[in-house]
């Protein structure tokens, strides 16, 4: 229990007498990449908000080190700043010494292949580039825990595939603990070391899979496809269960 | 380190998908392109006016040249500049005071819910009042004085600016505030680095609206009050009393020209700059 980087015990969240999450027990080991999967209304984003400290649980305990970095589906970058200034602002908020901003802010976009975009404004960047700047900004927080709320859902397949590769590389290099929320089963299997399926209304952990497929993985790999089918069948069962209630 | 192939792939994708920014035009061409449409519009209006005069649509309508002569005469007599100066000074002081009060009030309304629900509707109602309706109120309360003119400007411009600021703050995407919280921004840092810059386009629009009211209101007050308050409004009143259509039109042309000059010369560039930084100006949305 103490070895976990993120630790949720018997966590429930209720909005207006309506339970959204119920009795969630989740422990993320340091350096673990966990994907959280579920249909609409399963409370995936609520769970992420609880770990990020944006909301408090109604019951139970959430323990996460410091302030976890959070990446959104909508990049949430500041459009009046350049890509580099967005990263610099995160460094400033993280309490990094002013003299180190420029060097660090140049280093991080380089990590996501965006050195040339440093002085560009957000509207001049493509969707994929914006998400990479958002990733660089999240990395600027120097948190060991990275929370990702469907960050690639709005991207086209080619860009998404590229970003899957980038994210995997950065996760391995930085030994981050990642909690990645998605509704895309294939994406979860492509990225995660563990895939957790949440049931809906209220959200509960329905099932969990360890993904033993070695990296680098490709979206079209046979092993990825096989496990995707199995998880998709379970997800469908969860959805069908609601048709009967 | 990433594989060179993946780096090249990412670079290729970025080049294909990123917005192509057209090369900036040199300033003489840019200025000419910006000035051409309004100049064309002015020429068209003058041409229509001249045509209406030549075709005799109205017995009292003067030719554009007569109005220009009147303006020239006022300039030579030394009455034009003081009139302009008085009106402009009233507008500027009134607008600046309104901007300070309106911005503070708008921010307070955004911050304090009960104030918003009680004062908000009153400001909305005040906005619907024309300056002509406020002049008698101000004159009875404060007498026929400069104070009454400023009161009219404040009563009209402050609600306009405050409501504009409130809506600018409320339109800030909540996602930006969530992002700031996860990055550890405190209250003051959030206000400085997120709230104010995010609300800036709306604030510029609010100030522009306030200026529009601030520019029109003193003219109305100068025109309606019976005390001789010098200004362009007084010029209008003199023209009306003397049935001098040419003098009235000269005053109207002055009001239009100065109002447009401030709009085009101050608020236009400011708005374009703020919007283009955010990818919202028309010239950044086409690519």
């Amino acid at each position: 229990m103490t070895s976990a980087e993120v630790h949720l015990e018997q966590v429930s969240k209720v909005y207006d007498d309506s339970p959204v999450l119920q009795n969630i027990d989740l422990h993320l080991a340091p350096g673990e990449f966990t994907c959280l999967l579920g249909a609409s209304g399963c409370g995936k984003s609520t769970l992420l908000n609880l770990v990020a400290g944006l909301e408090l649980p109604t019951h139970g305990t959430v323990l996460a080190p410091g302030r976890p970095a959070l990446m959104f589906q909508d990049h949430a970058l500041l459009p009046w700043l350049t890509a580099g200034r967005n990263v610099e602002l995160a460094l400033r908020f993280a309490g990094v010494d002013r003299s180190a901003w420029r060097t660090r802010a140049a280093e991080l976009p380089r990590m996501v292949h965006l050195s040339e975009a440093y002085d560009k404004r957000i509207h001049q960047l493509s969707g994929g580039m914006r998400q990479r700047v958002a990733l660089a900004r999240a990395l600027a927080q120097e948190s060991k825990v990275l929370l990702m709320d469907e960050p690639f859902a709005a991207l086209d397949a080619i860009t998404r595939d590229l970003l899957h590769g980038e994210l995997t590389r950065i996760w391995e290099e930085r030994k981050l603990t990642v909690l990645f929320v998605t509704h895309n089963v294939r994406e979860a299997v492509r990225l995660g070391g563990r895939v957790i399926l949440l049931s809906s209304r209220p959200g509960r952990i329905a099932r969990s899979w360890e993904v033993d497929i070695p990296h680098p993985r490709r979206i079209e790999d046979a092993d990825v496809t096989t496990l995707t089918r199995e998880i998709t069948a379970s997800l469908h069962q969860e959805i069908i269960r609601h048709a009967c209630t | 380190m990433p594989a060179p192939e993946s780096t090249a792939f990412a670079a290729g994708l970025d080049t294909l998908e990123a917005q192509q920014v057209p090369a900036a035009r040199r300033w003489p061409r840019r200025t000419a392109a910006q000035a051409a449409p309004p100049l064309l519009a002015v020429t068209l209006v003058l041409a229509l006016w001249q045509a209406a005069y030549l075709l005799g649509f109205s017995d009292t309508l003067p030719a554009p040249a007569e109005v220009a002569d009147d303006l020239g005469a006022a300039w030579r007599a030394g009455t034009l500049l003081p009139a302009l100066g008085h009106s402009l000074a009233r507008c500027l002081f009134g607008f600046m005071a309104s901007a300070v009060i309106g911005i503070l009030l708008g921010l307070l309304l955004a911050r304090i819910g009960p104030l918003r629900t009680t004062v908000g509707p009153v400001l909305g109602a005040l906005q619907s009042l024309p300056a002509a309706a406020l002049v008698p109120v101000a004159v009875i309360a404060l007498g026929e004085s400069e104070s009454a003119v400023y009161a009219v400007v404040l009563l009209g411009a402050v609600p306009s600016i405050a409501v504009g600021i409130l809506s600018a703050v409320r339109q800030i995407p909540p996602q930006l505030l969530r992002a700031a919280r996860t990055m550890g921004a405190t209250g003051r840092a959030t206000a400085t680095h997120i709230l104010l810059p995010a609300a800036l386009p709306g604030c510029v629009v609010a100030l522009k609206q306030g200026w529009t009211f601030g520019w029109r209101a003193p003219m109305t007050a100068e025109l309606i009050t019976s005390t001789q308050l010098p200004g362009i409004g007084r010029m209008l009143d003199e023209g009306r009393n003397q049935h001098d259509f040419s003098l009235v039109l000269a005053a109207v042309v002055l009001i239009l020209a100065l109002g447009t000059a401030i709009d085009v010369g101050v608020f236009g560039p400011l708005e374009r700059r703020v919007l283009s930084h955010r990818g919202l100006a028309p010239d950044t949305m086409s690519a």
Side-chain angles (χ1 to χ4, degrees):
Chain A
M1 169 178 147
T2 47
S3 64
E5 189 95 46
V6 175
H7 179 80
L8 284 87
E9 190 165 299
Q10 287 295 297
V11 167
S12 298
K13 181 71 185 176
V14 179
Y15 290 121
D16 300 326
D17 296 331
S18 164
V20 178
L21 290 171
Q22 201 170 56
N23 301 333
I24 301 284
D25 280 313
L26 179 62
H27 309 284
L28 307 184
E32 189 181 6
F33 198 127
T34 308
C35 289
L36 212 54
L37 198 66
S40 297
C42 70
K44 301 185 292 269
S45 297
T46 305
L47 198 144
L48 222 50
N49 285 343
L50 292 174
V51 179
L54 293 173
E55 292 180 46
L56 291 172
T58 313
H59 303 291
T61 316
V62 178
L63 292 176
R67 184 178 291 110
L70 177 57
M71 238 184 108
F72 305 90
Q73 179 178 340
D74 160 24
H75 51 79
L77 294 168
L78 308 178
W80 55 90
L81 297 179
T82 60
R85 293 278 179 197
N86 264 281
V87 179
E88 278 182 34
L89 191 62
L91 291 166
R92 181 194 193 119
F93 288 157
V96 173
D97 189 57
R98 194 188 182 96
S99 58
W101 289 353
R102 189 80 195 179
T103 346
R104 291 283 312 283
E107 201 176 280
L108 289 163
R110 202 163 41 237
M111 190 164 204
V112 289
H113 304 142
L114 276 175
S115 301
E116 286 175 16
Y118 190 92
D119 290 320
K120 286 192 174 165
R121 290 188 189 278
I122 305 308
H123 69 270
Q124 295 172 322
L125 306 178
S126 68
M129 291 164 88
R130 288 173 197 183
Q131 282 306 50
R132 274 146 64 203
V133 177
L135 179 57
R137 183 176 74 173
L139 296 175
Q141 285 181 246
E142 284 294 334
S143 172
K144 294 303 286 178
V145 179
L146 176 59
L147 309 172
M148 308 182 88
D149 192 358
E150 304 191 36
F152 308 142
L155 301 178
D156 64 84
I158 299 173
T159 310
R160 196 162 54 232
D161 193 41
L162 171 77
L163 289 185
H164 286 161
E166 296 279 289
L167 177 60
T168 306
R169 176 178 60 79
I170 289 165
W171 163 66
E172 284 174 334
E173 279 176 16
R174 295 205 148 207
K175 298 178 175 50
L176 297 167
T177 305
V178 180
L179 185 57
F180 189 103
V181 161
T182 179
H183 59 263
N184 183 333
V185 182
R186 198 174 274 273
E187 179 174 64
V189 176
R190 159 89 150 92
L191 293 171
R194 181 160 53 131
V195 177
I196 292 172
L197 177 65
L198 286 182
S199 64
S200 296
R201 295 179 192 166
R204 276 181 293 216
I205 293 181
R207 222 185 130 180
S208 168
W209 289 263
E210 297 294 329
V211 186
D212 295 326
I213 308 163
H215 285 287
R217 297 173 196 162
R218 306 286 311 166
I219 206 99
E220 63 277 6
D221 285 348
D223 290 345
V224 170
T225 306
T226 308
L227 187 55
T228 299
R229 280 202 192 111
E230 185 188 328
I231 298 175
T232 305
S234 295
L235 176 63
H236 286 181
Q237 284 303 315
E238 274 301 321
I239 295 169
I240 289 166
R241 206 167 54 76
H242 285 276
C244 309
T245 54
Chain B
M1 279 297 290
E5 189 199 349
S6 113
T7 311
F9 182 66
L13 211 53
D14 291 347
T15 310
L16 289 172
E17 290 187 349
Q19 182 185 324
Q20 300 300 310
V21 181
R25 280 184 288 196
R26 287 173 172 275
W27 75 264
R29 285 188 65 191
R30 192 171 66 233
T31 310
Q34 283 170 354
L39 283 178
L40 191 67
V42 169
T43 312
L44 192 66
V45 169
L46 286 175
L48 285 173
W49 181 358
Q50 183 68 31
Y53 172 75
L54 290 175
L55 292 171
F57 281 151
S58 162
D59 295 338
T60 50
L61 181 72
E66 288 175 51
V67 174
D69 282 348
D70 269 3
L71 282 173
W75 173 269
R76 283 188 297 277
T79 54
L80 188 63
L81 273 183
L84 266 177
H86 278 109
S87 290
L88 202 56
R90 281 188 197 108
C91 295
L92 281 176
F93 288 128
F95 169 71
M96 284 192 288
S98 304
V100 172
I101 300 170
I103 289 172
L104 286 174
L105 186 58
L107 292 176
L108 284 174
L109 288 171
R111 184 88 184 153
I112 306 166
L115 189 68
R116 194 164 53 240
T117 47
T118 48
V119 177
V122 177
L123 292 177
L126 274 175
Q127 266 187 298
S128 65
L129 279 177
L134 292 169
V135 173
V137 178
V139 165
I140 291 170
L142 299 164
E144 299 212 1
S145 59
E146 291 280 344
S147 310
V149 179
Y150 286 119
V152 172
V153 178
L154 287 172
L155 280 170
V158 167
S160 176
I161 294 172
V163 169
I165 298 285
L166 170 65
S167 102
V169 173
R170 297 184 84 182
Q171 281 170 16
I172 296 172
Q175 198 77 317
L176 297 185
L177 300 174
R178 283 182 74 207
R181 272 184 70 196
T182 58
M183 287 190 283
T186 57
R188 182 188 278 188
T190 304
T192 316
H193 295 286
I194 313 288
L195 282 174
L196 287 180
L200 195 58
C203 292
V204 172
V205 172
L207 289 175
K208 192 174 164 183
Q209 279 174 353
W211 166 258
T212 307
F213 191 93
W215 177 233
R216 287 190 309 227
M219 250 58 83
T220 314
E222 287 165 10
L223 182 65
I224 294 179
T225 52
S226 54
T227 309
Q228 298 286 313
L229 290 172
I232 306 174
R234 180 56 41 198
M235 241 175 107
L236 265 175
D237 194 40
E238 280 170 14
R240 182 182 62 178
N241 293 335
Q242 295 162 16
H243 292 278
D244 185 345
F245 199 1
S246 179
L247 186 60
V248 168
L249 281 178
V252 169
V253 166
L254 267 183
I255 294 170
L256 277 175
L258 211 58
T260 310
I262 300 279
D263 196 36
V264 172
V266 178
F267 286 104
L270 186 65
E271 199 175 10
R272 262 199 307 282
R273 188 178 168 81
V274 166
L275 292 181
S276 69
H277 276 182
R278 289 155 174 79
L280 296 171
D283 56 344
T284 61
M285 290 172 77
S286 54

